Amino acid sequence: MSSTVPSSFKLSLLSFSILVTQQSFADDTQQLPTITVTAESEQSELSSEQSKAYIIQNSSTASKLNIPLKETPQTVNVLTRQQLDDFALDNTRDVLRNTPGIIVSNQETERTSYLARGFEISNVLVDGVGIPLEGYNYNNDNPDSFLFDRIEVVKGANALNNGIGDPGATINMIRKRPTQELQAALNASYGSWNTQRYEADVSSPLTQDGKVRGRVFGYQQTGDSYLDRYELEKNGIGAVVEADITDTTLLTAGYTETNHKPNGVNWGSNPLINTEGEQLSYSRNYNYSPSWAHWDSNIKSYFAELEQKLGGDWTAKLTYDEKRTQRDSKLLFLSGKPGANGTSGIFLYPGMYIDDNKEQQASLSFSGTYPLWGQRHEASLGYVWAKNRLDELGYAGSFVNPLTTDLASFTPEEPSWDMSKTSGEMHIRQKNQSLYAATRLHLNDDLKLLLGANYVQAESSGSSYGTDTIYDEDKVLPYAGITYNFTPEYTGYMSYSSIFRPQTTKAVDGGINKPIEGESYEVGVKSSWLDDKLTATMAIFRTEESNYPLRNSDGLPTTRKTQVSDLRSQGYEFGLAGQLTDHLNLSFGYTQLSLKDLINGGDARTFNPTQSFNLLTTYQIPQIPKLKLGLGVQWQDKTYLNVPETTNASGVVTQKSGIIQQDAYALVNVMASYEVNKNITLQANGNNITDEKYLFNFPDAQGFYGAPANYSVAVKFKY
């Protein structure tokens, strides 16, 4: 069902890049025309690629206002292009694993949940655009980071940017844009398990006056894995064009297409406890999935933006985004728990699925400043329309013997598939509308008040495997924040933000559960030193989620008073990022929190760490200025999951109680790069160099281990 980008695209992009750069070298004796650009996109101004820094100065992800991060009254973490390149973070999971306070929960090879402050993240946006994830907040995609300039994460609820979702955080991936000057990059790398990766990226003015600019880029990666039978091929291409239609009008349009084709994929994962309540252990490379299991996806994305400068400093912006995801898969799930001898109790459940998902979003916004009380104040207002169509067909497969008696060594042949009828279907139609307004009032030079509100209307119809997915809800979501500059270096802040999420789950009385509501409170201090090259944040937070339908992993089901509860997370975060000296860049953060079930009591989601620490740092040796060394550390506290005793209808114990646990661990990554000349750089990266064995996560009493020590070497060309 999914289309495939031709393998020749790599050669085409590389050839185009080489031709462009060769022509540039050949034209060294010619006088290049003067490039004058009168309309400049906001995105270009904020590019982390051009700054090569570990921080950015401004962001609109939290407040819809393009204001300094120092004066944004929420914690915002940023992984810039330079960090992604230094540590070879080529996919979203790896990027977020290196983001302070973000926990990446890999229950299986393809589906992932991201968590912040104890809650799943349902809002994963591109340039501020996206529809909240369905169901269990599984991220079925793992976008390649080569498509983006940076990734921003706003902690807590986000009423203004996306009022529907969960209150943990919002992830905003910012696209690459064309540059004002010619630049080209060609990268080739080789790593463990025969992993080969090729990248090409060319950006240039397309007219002599520079009023039309374009960028094309692409990547291709193939390789095996430390997991038995798992292998991955992925590729992608993209193009973006900017045009200054007039001195005050900027038109931007872009397209990307990606393919993600893994084999030997998990659906579910290894059972981690047996019927005696004992935790099971496997070799790190163990993968029950056969090679015929796959989860192939093709994603096409289109976007267009029209920016018009109005009178004064006001700007109007009209946008349209469309994303089409087509996916086909053949999967194998293990149901049940092994016996104490590891040879019984596992039922094999195969399934084939065909998915077609189309997301559309359009928006109109106005932003600028206005005078009041002898000061100028920022303001933004807009309307957002979003539509989502999700269709899935499931087909059953069958084995001659669906029970396995030797979990450790079986590799089943592909089952026979029944295509005469579906085993289940999903047909969901969603429409969201949002009307928002925000302003930042300058009460004096140091005291600023942010106020805003978002009216959200959310509708859904259809069903998912026999369960209705119907709701029609609306809500006004307030936002408030205050900042005060104690000194030029230190700013204190407080903020309140909210969010809600309609539900389709049924309550005990047979009705639909009330919408989940979330809100965040945050108090902190931000500081900036060394001419804003180094920033720090200290924050105390409280995040709450009410009307939440508990899962089995949200505490002990056997001790619950109710299946719908209120959760509260509170704790503190500390972060430091930027350039400490002329030779030292760093980014690190520490988070500590507690997550409580307010109605049933006790800790919730104990499979998530309550403490975590992240560090990325590079150092250019003054005596050898072309040599850069880097260190990355990811540390998290111990985690565990209580598995309760279960009995059958006759009262016979079928599963003794037990505990699955993972001790605290640290992953240590290193890098080294050397500039051979101004155009060529050699780079080597090593990951998990201490060869730590660890479980990713296990909310459903299943899981698998992370990668052992591995490496990659790369040759990078830039012009």
Side-chain angles (χ1 to χ4, degrees):
M1 179 173 184
S2 61
S3 61
T4 302
V5 176
S7 59
S8 60
F9 93 93
K10 174 180 65 179
L11 296 176
S12 301
L13 270 172
L14 295 177
S15 300
F16 178 62
S17 305
I18 292 170
L19 286 172
V20 171
T21 52
Q22 284 181 337
Q23 181 180 355
S24 300
F25 285 124
D27 292 344
D28 281 346
T29 58
Q30 301 178 10
Q31 182 67 39
L32 295 176
T34 301
I35 297 175
T36 302
V37 179
T38 55
E40 185 173 304
S41 86
E42 193 174 278
Q43 298 291 343
S44 297
E45 293 175 354
L46 299 176
S47 170
S48 73
E49 177 185 40
Q50 301 301 317
S51 71
K52 301 185 184 302
Y54 272 32
I55 58 172
I56 61 172
Q57 298 300 324
N58 288 24
S59 174
S60 59
T61 301
S63 65
K64 289 288 190 180
L65 302 169
N66 185 25
I67 60 177
L69 280 182
K70 182 185 174 184
E71 298 181 357
T72 299
Q74 285 182 264
T75 298
V76 183
N77 298 115
V78 182
L79 268 290
T80 66
R81 185 72 254 168
Q82 190 64 50
Q83 293 168 283
L84 307 186
D85 291 341
D86 283 345
F87 292 91
L89 306 176
D90 58 27
N91 64 80
T92 305
R93 289 179 186 170
D94 286 345
V95 173
L96 294 173
R97 283 194 187 98
N98 287 275
T99 303
I102 301 298
I103 301 301
V104 178
S105 177
N106 282 68
Q107 301 101 316
E108 51 198 27
T109 55
E110 307 313 306
R111 295 190 297 182
T112 312
S113 295
Y114 308 130
L115 301 103
R117 298 181 175 178
F119 299 98
E120 283 119 344
I121 300 173
S122 55
N123 285 318
V124 182
L125 315 177
V126 176
D127 286 346
V129 170
I131 291 184
L133 299 166
E134 279 293 310
Y136 281 60
N137 295 322
Y138 285 132
N139 290 267
N140 295 338
D141 305 323
N142 185 18
D144 199 286
S145 65
F146 191 64
L147 305 174
F148 306 108
D149 173 75
R150 66 189 183 276
I151 294 179
E152 302 179 9
V153 179
V154 178
K155 301 292 182 55
N158 195 345
L160 295 177
N161 211 313
N162 205 326
I164 303 176
D166 293 273
T170 296
I171 299 167
N172 191 17
M173 298 183 286
I174 310 299
R175 293 185 179 100
K176 290 179 176 178
R177 302 296 175 111
T179 56
Q180 307 287 347
E181 299 178 350
L182 170 67
Q183 66 176 44
L186 304 172
N187 305 321
S189 66
Y190 180 85
S192 299
W193 312 296
N194 195 31
T195 301
Q196 302 176 55
R197 182 176 173 90
Y198 305 92
E199 302 170 344
D201 188 350
V202 182
S203 183
S204 173
L206 301 180
T207 59
Q208 287 192 344
D209 60 5
K211 290 187 176 183
V212 181
R213 303 167 293 279
R215 185 166 189 165
V216 293
F217 43 85
Y219 66 89
Q220 180 164 313
Q221 179 177 319
T222 59
D224 298 322
S225 168
Y226 70 97
L227 293 173
D228 295 334
R229 294 176 295 281
Y230 184 89
E231 58 184 15
L232 172 64
E233 176 185 355
K234 64 175 183 175
N235 53 54
I237 57 174
V240 184
V241 176
E242 286 183 346
D244 300 322
I245 306 300
T246 70
D247 290 348
T248 59
T249 308
L250 175 66
L251 176 65
T252 307
Y255 167 80
T256 61
E257 181 174 354
T258 62
N259 290 285
H260 194 86
K261 302 173 68 176
N263 292 324
V265 301
N266 292 158
W267 185 34
S269 195
N270 306 327
L272 295 178
I273 196 168
N274 64 21
T275 54
E276 295 297 311
E278 301 165 334
Q279 182 170 342
L280 300 175
S281 179
Y282 303 86
S283 63
R284 190 156 35 184
N285 62 312
Y286 176 72
N287 178 24
Y288 74 82
S289 291
S291 55
W292 54 261
H294 67 269
W295 202 328
D296 296 348
S297 62
N298 171 262
I299 302 175
K300 298 182 178 71
S301 296
Y302 314 81
F303 79 96
E305 300 174 352
L306 182 64
E307 284 189 37
Q308 177 63 53
K309 292 188 175 183
L310 308 174
D313 57 5
W314 279 82
T315 299
K317 188 174 184 179
L318 180 66
T319 71
Y320 176 79
D321 288 77
E322 182 174 313
K323 177 181 177 183
R324 181 76 178 274
T325 302
Q326 293 177 296
R327 183 176 291 108
D328 66 85
S329 59
K330 292 180 179 178
L331 306 171
L332 180 64
F333 187 81
L334 303 187
S335 180
K337 303 273 190 319
N341 58 5
T343 61
S344 64
I346 297 297
F347 181 85
L348 307 181
Y349 178 78
M352 176 188 291
Y353 300 91
I354 299 174
D355 297 84
D356 190 354
N357 184 200
K358 183 178 181 180
E359 302 175 28
Q360 298 169 276
Q361 184 159 327
S363 68
L364 175 63
S365 62
F366 301 89
S367 60
T369 66
Y370 60 96
L372 185 68
W373 307 322
Q375 300 270 2
R376 295 203 69 85
H377 315 276
E378 300 92 347
S380 178
L381 67 156
Y383 169 77
V384 180
W385 171 91
K387 185 178 181 180
N388 184 34
R389 185 198 74 199
L390 177 60
D391 296 298
E392 180 178 273
L393 302 178
Y395 299 92
S398 61
F399 294 105
V400 174
N401 184 3
L403 290 170
T404 176
T405 59
D406 191 0
L407 178 61
S409 63
F410 88 104
T411 305
E413 298 293 329
E414 186 171 349
S416 58
W417 301 101
D418 183 3
M419 306 297 291
S420 63
K421 61 179 181 179
T422 64
S423 60
E425 299 184 18
M426 178 190 300
H427 303 285
I428 300 176
R429 303 293 184 266
Q430 295 173 290
K431 185 174 76 171
N432 299 336
Q433 298 183 84
S434 170
L435 185 64
Y436 68 87
T439 186
R440 185 169 76 150
L441 300 172
H442 295 240
L443 303 182
N444 57 45
D445 291 343
D446 297 316
L447 182 62
K448 301 175 179 70
L449 178 66
L450 279 80
L451 297 173
N454 191 356
Y455 171 72
V456 179
Q457 184 182 52
E459 302 175 28
S460 177
S461 61
S463 63
S464 176
Y465 291 86
T467 301
D468 291 338
T469 56
I470 300 173
Y471 57 76
D472 188 351
E473 303 282 352
D474 65 279
K475 192 174 182 64
V476 175
L477 302 165
Y479 179 93
I482 189 169
T483 64
Y484 182 75
N485 298 322
F486 295 104
T487 69
E489 293 81 21
Y490 293 91
T491 299
Y493 70 90
M494 296 186 294
S495 68
Y496 167 83
S497 187
S498 57
I499 207 164
F500 90 121
R501 183 170 190 165
Q503 297 194 75
T504 59
T505 56
K506 290 189 176 180
V508 177
D509 61 5
I512 302 297
N513 281 317
K514 297 178 180 179
I516 296 172
E517 298 190 13
E519 51 189 11
S520 298
Y521 307 84
E522 189 168 331
V523 179
V525 177
K526 296 185 178 184
S527 56
S528 180
W529 306 293
L530 305 177
D531 295 327
D532 295 331
K533 294 180 180 179
L534 183 68
T535 62
T537 302
M538 297 180 63
I540 301 172
F541 62 84
R542 171 179 286 185
T543 300
E544 299 178 347
E545 193 168 49
S546 58
N547 305 322
Y548 178 80
L550 296 170
R551 306 170 192 170
N552 287 339
S553 55
D554 295 323
L556 277 174
T558 54
T559 62
R560 289 176 185 167
K561 304 173 186 175
T562 176
Q563 294 300 315
V564 176
S565 190
D566 301 337
L567 304 180
R568 174 186 291 167
S569 166
Q570 57 188 18
Y572 60 90
E573 295 185 336
F574 173 75
L576 183 67
Q579 189 173 350
L580 190 61
T581 71
D582 291 340
H583 307 285
L584 180 63
N585 281 314
L586 62 82
S587 172
F588 77 85
Y590 172 79
T591 301
Q592 180 170 321
L593 62 89
S594 66
L595 183 64
K596 301 293 185 180
D597 185 328
L598 299 183
I599 295 179
N600 297 296
D603 296 327
R605 300 181 184 174
T606 57
F607 56 87
N608 291 320
T610 58
Q611 299 181 78
S612 62
F613 172 86
N614 295 81
L615 168 70
L616 294 176
T617 184
T618 59
Y619 182 70
Q620 288 183 291
I621 301 174
Q623 295 78 8
I624 316 175
K626 295 184 177 182
L627 178 63
K628 180 194 294 185
L629 303 177
L631 173 68
V633 179
Q634 306 160 43
W635 175 86
Q636 67 174 54
D637 199 7
K638 65 179 181 180
T639 57
Y640 68 95
L641 178 67
N642 286 308
V643 179
E645 179 182 275
T646 59
T647 60
N648 61 19
S650 302
V652 177
V653 175
T654 56
Q655 167 71 63
K656 293 183 179 179
S657 63
I659 298 177
I660 302 171
Q661 57 187 354
Q662 168 63 59
D663 293 335
Y665 66 89
L667 303 181
V668 181
N669 306 324
V670 295
M671 66 82 63
S673 67
Y674 184 79
E675 291 187 11
V676 179
N677 53 46
K678 66 177 183 178
N679 301 117
I680 297 176
T681 299
L682 305 178
Q683 182 168 319
N685 290 82
N687 301 311
N688 190 14
I689 61 172
T690 60
D691 203 32
E692 188 78 28
K693 183 180 180 181
Y694 63 97
L695 288 165
F696 275 120
N697 219 318
F698 36 82
D700 299 311
Q702 295 178 309
F704 71 106
Y705 300 97
N710 60 93
Y711 75 94
S712 66
V713 292
V715 179
K716 299 183 176 184
F717 171 84
K718 65 178 180 180
Y719 173 78

